[in-house]
Amino acid sequence: MAVVVEEDVIIVGAGQSGLAAAACLSQRGVRSLVLERDDCVGSLWRKRSYERVRLHLAKHYCALPHAPHPDAAPTYLPRDDFVRYLDAYAARFAVRTRLRREVRAARYDKATARWEVEAMDLAAGGKVELYAARFLVVASGENDEKVVPEVPGIEGFPGTVMHACEYKSPEGMKGKAVLVVGGGNSGMEIAYDLADAGAVTSIVVRGELHVVNKQIWNVAMALYPYLPLWLIDKLVLLMCAVVFGDTAKHGLRRPAIGPFTMKCTTPAYPVVDVGAYAKIKSGEIRVLPAAVKSVHGNTVEFNEGKQYPFDAIVFATGYRSTVRRWLKSDDGLIGDDGMAARSYPEHWKGEKGLYVAGMVRRGIYGSYEDAEFIAEDISKQLHPEAHGNGKNGEQEQLLAT
């Protein structure tokens, strides 16, 4: 029998949300342990993002608790800078991690009033480890497992086929015909990266989407605490009309719901343009409106019947959460899609010491808020003498900002 490791708090996932939660707990004198499947912290940024990516929001929206970015840092941080920031953050707050631990099951034991967590040590051939903790924080993220659609004939495609998480750079793609499947932020940025390097680039954009740029979106973020969503939408769309014109003329139809309302009330997110739209207008990136139907050799057939040959295919078709596979809880905190089932700001706390961090699609600033809420709540339960009997003033202050 494996020895049970006792902890106050177990955190699953060493991405930005898990690190932030651990740091905030540490600042309040609460000991935690982070279990991470990969061999590093921040693996999404370090291993599954392309080289030229930069954060879409200004740096003051992209800092974790108790560690603002320095004044000398770029306004929009490059990937490598953010990875170094996460490494330094984990070191600064002495975040305790056990890497290469894949959580296989977590369930609440009423008899001991503890969460029992079973993990595999992947570095030791899958050796089973057991943990017990009063509190469990799920911080494994929305981008846990890549989603690749089943396409008849794709196994016979002679060229390169990859998911966006495997794409690093356009090296070797100059002059080649490349199809990007998926018109979200990753798809648009990868299409731009390829076209900018001389690839003959096409992108499948099936649905409606909003196109904004970093400057417009940061104005919207600044207005968010002060104006209603409908008014922010009107201002954003007015700025977009000036900057982009009618995007529908180039195959990018805007939805009826406003961009900021969409971001706040649905899983969808506007496309933050980094140069792809100009290349779509110039014809350097071709927009294809129909879904991929099948593949025959190097020829891709689309649902509307058209066929085109390609040398490579990149599926920018998103990710899914895998929390429901291992979390044995039915308190309604996690939905069928593995994300937080409740809307912000009531999403982060469940029953019996269960919490979620970074699982409501609010980006890095969402990770910041969740970490503070969770750490304050746990600290109150472990150290009630250090807190008054009043309301959680810290949460009220954060929600007001």
Side-chain angles (χ1 to χ4, degrees), residues 26-318:
S26 176
Q27 290 293 96
R28 291 165 171 81
V30 178
R31 179 181 171 90
S32 66
L33 179 67
V34 182
L35 302 179
E36 166 59 43
R37 182 181 57 196
D38 221 317
D39 60 358
C40 60
V41 303
S43 63
L44 174 66
W45 298 99
R46 192 187 310 270
K47 294 186 174 184
R48 290 183 284 160
S49 60
Y50 33 98
E51 293 176 0
R52 74 182 298 161
V53 71
R54 286 177 174 262
L55 301 187
H56 288 159
L57 295 180
K59 61 186 176 184
H60 58 277
Y61 293 115
C62 298
L64 298 181
H66 313 293
H69 295 290
D71 292 340
T75 300
Y76 300 98
L77 291 175
R79 178 197 69 171
D80 291 347
D81 284 8
F82 192 64
V83 168
R84 284 189 287 269
Y85 171 81
L86 293 178
D87 285 339
Y89 190 85
R92 173 179 176 180
F93 295 101
V95 175
R96 297 171 60 232
T97 60
R98 287 197 176 181
L99 304 177
R100 299 288 287 154
R101 264 58 174 198
E102 182 175 8
V103 174
R104 304 303 299 272
R107 56 179 58 85
Y108 185 77
D109 183 5
K110 293 181 180 178
T112 62
R114 294 289 185 273
W115 284 92
E116 297 180 344
V117 180
E118 177 185 320
M120 290 177 56
D121 183 349
L122 301 179
K127 176 184 175 183
V128 174
E129 297 178 337
L130 301 178
Y131 301 85
R134 181 173 170 184
F135 304 99
L136 177 66
V137 180
V138 178
S140 50
E142 61 189 89
N143 300 315
D144 195 32
E145 180 180 82
K146 65 184 180 183
V147 173
V148 179
E150 294 184 5
V151 178
I154 192 68
E155 67 281 355
F157 184 74
T160 301
V161 178
M162 69 181 81
H163 187 269
C165 68
E166 299 156 332
Y167 176 88
K168 302 304 177 188
S169 76
E171 183 178 357
M173 294 294 185
K174 184 176 181 179
K176 293 186 177 181
V178 185
L179 175 66
V180 179
V181 182
N185 276 291
S186 293
M188 285 291 183
E189 290 198 25
I190 290 171
Y192 170 73
D193 200 27
L194 289 162
D196 197 45
V200 182
T201 308
S202 301
I203 184 169
V204 173
V205 181
R206 295 170 54 195
E208 299 172 324
L209 55 84
H210 281 294
V211 180
V212 299
N213 62 24
K214 292 180 179 180
Q215 293 73 26
I216 291 173
W217 203 240
N218 276 286
V219 169
M221 291 293 296
L223 295 174
Y224 181 42
Y226 309 107
L227 298 179
L229 295 182
W230 67 266
L231 184 52
I232 297 175
D233 284 337
K234 286 185 176 295
L235 294 172
V236 168
L237 290 173
L238 177 61
M239 289 185 283
C240 287
V242 173
V243 173
F244 298 109
D246 184 3
T247 59
K249 292 181 179 179
H250 305 284
L252 306 179
R253 295 172 291 112
R254 291 188 182 273
I257 185 173
F260 214 81
T261 299
M262 180 177 73
K263 176 257 178 193
C264 292
T265 61
T266 78
Y269 200 91
V271 170
V272 180
D273 180 57
V274 297
Y277 185 66
K279 290 191 177 296
I280 289 171
K281 289 177 65 176
S282 69
E284 295 172 79
I285 297 175
R286 174 175 54 181
V287 174
L288 300 174
V292 173
K293 180 180 180 181
S294 60
V295 175
H296 309 279
N298 72 334
T299 300
V300 177
E301 181 179 0
F302 297 86
N303 277 346
E304 81 226 306
K306 293 183 179 179
Q307 299 182 357
Y308 303 100
F310 292 99
D311 300 303
I313 302 174
V314 181
F315 285 101
T317 42

